[in-house]
Amino acid sequence: MGTLRFQALKETLNRKPLKIEEPARRSEIFSTNVFNETVMRQFLTKEAYQNVTEAMRTGKKIDRNVADHISTGMKEWAISKGVTHYTHWFQPLTGTTAEKHDSFFEPLGEGLAIEKFGGGQLVQQEPDASSFPSGGIRNTFEARGYTAWDPTSPAFIWGTTLCIPTIFVSYTGEALDNKTPLLRALQAVDHAATDVAKYFDKNVKKVNATLGWEQEYFLIDSALVASRPDITLTGRTLLGHSPAKGQQLDDHYFGSIPSRAIAFMMDLEIECMKLGIPVKTRHNEVAPNQFELAPIFEEANLAVDHNSLIMDVMKKVGERHNLAVLMHEKPFAGINGSGKHNNWSLATDTGTNLLSPGSTPMKNLQFLTFFVNTIKAVYDHEELLRAAIASASNDHRLGANEAPPAILSVFIGSQLTKVLDELEKVTDGKLSPQEKTELKLNVVGKIPEILLDNTDRNRTSPFAFTGNKFEFRAVGSLANCANAMTVLNSIVAKQLKEFKVEVDKLIKSKKMKKDDAIFNVLREYIKKSKKIRFEGDGYGEAWEKEAKKRGLSNNRTTPQALKAQVSKETIKLFKDLEVMNETEIEARHEIELEEYAMRIQIEGRVLGDIARNHIIPTAIRYQNILIKNVRGLKDIYADDFARHAKEQLEIIESISAHIAKINSNVNAMIEARKVANKIEDAEKKAFAYCDDVKPYFDEIRYHCDKLELLVDDELWPLAKYRELLFTR
């Protein structure tokens, strides 16, 4: 293994960046591999085109007869671009994407064949679903599941395959994917937000949730990764001593992008352009060999699809450049982890961003309405929002090296805090003309001016307002955005529905004017949700103590956080909005608990294997070299050898002590794992792995890392942090 490490280093150092041919204008290749409206006009009949576009805009079902015309046009377009296969592309509850490729080719007999793709094959398929997680919804011998076309997300070509975005449901109709609940949540927030938006503009007919994600990741040479079984099998380093230089000089952040990395980025961006993914930004992140890319915001459903797609594309493009793309939230200890900031807002079909102030007091009151309601929604459901971003990998990141803490809070900045403080003083009941004038001119009216200089200065906030959107920063880099977006849009939908009821009640029963009613309700929401707002540093015991006083949850681990998924309040929320039924909710809870236990189980097995089969033998080999040296000194100096061999003897003793600690802790970890494996209840098993197995990881790592500092560098089998992070 020592030889493999140095072979990997030599290979890495000899790499040259690939030459990438940039198109003259990226706009010319944008969406060339997407079955978008421009392509549909060319390949579909007028009736088929109208059916698809109406389905995209309103969710109306497509007639089965028309589906045949659509599938024919889609097939002809795909074949004209060299496509041979098609697949229903979906997002099962594994957190990744899934696809089963079928050929257009169909034999007719007598040596004849045609390319065939009918409406039935477009609209619905029946993949073998037995091996996908279902959380007890179905038995493994019941293989039937259905994928159904989602026309709101356009089909695209990847390689020689036509990919059709679909939902995935069980034979009995329950959602077995991440997309179905998301679509339902988006419909719920559309209806609720449209009703409220009509207070300010009667022409609003639809509200879309928008999402702009920021994807952080590490790029490590594939040869170096091959020398690390822990990265290969778990996505992160389970051991490794910190290098002398890390990120403390801040010299990587926004620095000159390394040549191999920039070649990878250029290649990736060209692929994204063809797939219609509007990537806009690229830069070095804080940690060495860490980078970020971000697109222009899109409608949430499409943005989620694009993020799931790009994570797959990144890995495939990385292979061309001999680079491994690490998306684990914390692949390296002691430096920044990776997040996936979800920038969320609401936009009307009339072109208004509901979280952006306007030029009139009425538009600013509209902004305040959606702004305050979102804060109130986060306050009421902070534990559920924390559960939405819970995972074994994200647990390592939350609360470490500038990442948000596990405590959910909202950052809005000092200027907007002053605005809410003023609104909190609004008179109960009807407002006097003087008070209304004061509010509209000096409080509400000045919001755009306030926001001009209200820049975001709090990197530790999990949920921050950043000018015209909320940024959900606690989402992990490895996560599917759908989970966080389903929860966020659902809680905002519920909150807006309640707001509408309360405002209408004041207008009807108290005979208040609309503005007075809105101000009255907002005042109460500001008071009730004040505890969730926090402007300070999210690190340390001081905030934890303060959060506890405020009654905010601090669910540090995934098993603890996931309890909120199946609370009575959560079940009622999702059932009332028709986002998920109780069976679907409990299934997801079971799946996430099982996944947590399995990930810790895998990490434990890998760590035990590396410690015993790589680290201990290497340490013994070096110890034997030292012993041989001591014997030689004894032969030369006889009884006086101990004076000359003092340092060697101390190292020999230190190595023995570390080996003993590693071995005893690995044995104890294995026994704890055996106990955990016998537990059948998913929640109890997850807690056993969290509380009884995982604590051994740090202890084993500590002694392995100490040996790394003692053992001859030429013998050490695994690529070291300095090589993984600083070899370009």
Side-chain angles (χ1 to χ4, degrees), residues 72-134:
T72 300
M74 200 180 282
K75 179 196 69 177
E76 292 305 316
W77 167 73
I79 290 173
S80 73
K81 297 184 73 68
V83 168
T84 58
H85 289 68
Y86 65 92
T87 182
H88 274 201
W89 182 82
F90 58 102
Q91 300 168 39
L93 297 173
T94 55
T96 57
T97 60
E99 52 197 64
K100 176 176 72 82
H101 297 196
D102 286 302
S103 172
F104 288 133
F105 170 83
E106 187 155 319
L108 296 175
E110 298 181 1
L112 299 175
I114 59 169
E115 265 65 39
K116 185 179 178 183
F117 181 54
Q121 293 161 306
L122 167 65
V123 172
Q124 182 176 302
Q125 282 195 329
E126 188 181 319
D128 181 346
S130 59
S131 294
F132 289 114
S134 67

Side-chain angles (χ1 to χ4, degrees), residues 392-452:
S393 53
N394 209 21
D395 280 358
H396 293 288
R397 167 180 166 260
L398 295 177
N401 290 85
E402 285 199 357
I407 304 166
L408 257 292
S409 64
V410 178
F411 170 81
I412 63 171
S414 58
Q415 297 298 324
L416 280 172
T417 296
K418 289 178 183 176
V419 171
L420 296 196
D421 289 345
E422 287 295 322
L423 288 173
E424 197 177 333
K425 300 171 188 174
V426 169
T427 304
D428 188 6
K430 295 180 181 179
L431 277 66
S432 67
Q434 294 85 353
E435 187 175 17
K436 193 177 289 189
T437 301
E438 171 71 18
L439 272 173
K440 288 188 174 180
L441 291 180
N442 297 323
V443 180
V444 178
K446 290 186 177 179
I447 289 174
E449 297 168 31
I450 288 168
L451 288 184
L452 284 175

Side-chain angles (χ1 to χ4, degrees), residues 257-277:
I257 301 173
S259 55
R260 287 182 65 198
I262 197 72
F264 162 81
M265 290 175 177
M266 289 166 63
D267 199 359
L268 173 64
E269 288 169 2
I270 290 169
E271 295 291 355
C272 288
M273 288 295 112
K274 294 175 184 175
L275 292 166
I277 305 173

Side-chain angles (χ1 to χ4, degrees), residues 1-2 614 616-626 715-717:
M1 280 299 291
H614 298 72
I616 289 178
T618 302
I620 291 172
R621 192 178 305 127
Y622 181 58
Q623 194 177 46
N624 287 338
I625 292 171
L626 293 174
L715 295 179
W716 197 253

Side-chain angles (χ1 to χ4, degrees), residues 192-193 195-200 344 346 354-356 361-377 420 423 444 447 470 492 495-496 499-500 503 514-515 517-523 525-526:
D195 285 347
V196 173
K198 284 182 181 294
Y199 283 142
F200 309 97
W344 171 89
L346 296 169
L354 295 171
L355 286 173
S356 182
M362 181 58 75
K363 287 181 180 178
N364 294 328
L365 182 55
Q366 175 178 263
F367 156 74
L368 280 170
T369 295
F370 287 91
F371 177 69
V372 172
N373 271 282
T374 300
I375 295 171
K376 175 71 161 44
L420 296 196
L423 288 173
V444 178
I447 289 174
F470 278 101
V492 171
Q495 180 55 50
L496 290 172
F499 173 78
K500 179 79 164 54
V503 170
K514 180 182 65 181
D515 288 6
I518 289 172
F519 276 123
N520 270 262
V521 176
L522 290 182
R523 179 198 63 232
Y525 286 176
I526 291 166

